[in-house]
């Protein structure tokens, strides 16, 4: 029985290492995706675009509004990922 255990131990380590590497490599991306969903980034962008196009605003104004939303979300993500506290 010990012989079989010693054969599987290196494979178990490889699997564990691969699993942990996958988590560490993709954690930031998955967290950003989660925050985009939590902040409703895509919904907000779509709503702003639709409302502004109904009002007849220019593409540059629409683009500026979308950029503002993206920057707000990016600031929140930066603060969360850095571990700092929000300040007013």
């Amino acid at each position: 029985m010990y012989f079989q255990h010693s054969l599987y131990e290196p494979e178990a380590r490889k699997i564990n290492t691969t699993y942990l590497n996958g988590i560490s490599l993709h954690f930031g991306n998955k967290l950003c995706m989660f925050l985009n969903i939590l902040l409703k980034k895509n919904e907000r962008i779509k709503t702003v675009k639709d409302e502004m196009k109904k009002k007849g605003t220019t593409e540059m104004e629409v683009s500026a509004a979308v950029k503002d939303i993206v920057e707000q979300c990016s600031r929140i993500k930066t603060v969360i990922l850095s571990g700092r506290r929000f300040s007013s």
Side-chain angles (χ1 to χ4, degrees), residues 63-84:
S63 179
V66 168
K67 184 178 178 183
D68 186 47
I69 292 170
V70 171
E71 286 174 354
Q72 289 172 1
C73 292
S74 294
R75 275 185 261 145
I76 292 170
K77 286 188 256 183
T78 301
V79 169
I80 290 172
L81 290 173
S82 70
R84 292 181 287 154

Side-chain angles (χ1 to χ4, degrees), residues 1 4 8 13 15-16 19 28-29 40 42 47 65 71-72 83:
M1 188 69 178
Q4 282 184 329
Y8 296 127
R13 278 195 195 126
I15 291 169
N16 189 42
Y19 178 75
N29 291 337
K40 298 181 180 182
N42 291 336
T47 302
E71 286 174 354
Q72 289 172 1

Side-chain angles (χ1 to χ4, degrees), residues 2-17:
Y2 176 75
F3 182 71
Q4 282 184 329
H5 176 71
S6 64
L7 285 175
Y8 296 127
E9 190 174 344
E11 289 303 315
R13 278 195 195 126
K14 286 180 193 175
I15 291 169
N16 189 42
T17 301

Side-chain angles (χ1 to χ4, degrees), residues 79 84-88:
V79 169
R84 292 181 287 154
R85 295 191 182 267
F86 287 102
S87 60
S88 301

Side-chain angles (χ1 to χ4, degrees), residues 31-47:
L31 181 60
C32 286
M33 287 172 47
F34 173 73
L35 291 173
N36 285 341
I37 292 169
L38 189 67
L39 297 170
K40 298 181 180 182
K41 178 181 162 185
N42 291 336
E43 293 172 27
R44 289 171 52 202
I45 289 172
K46 185 178 183 321
T47 302

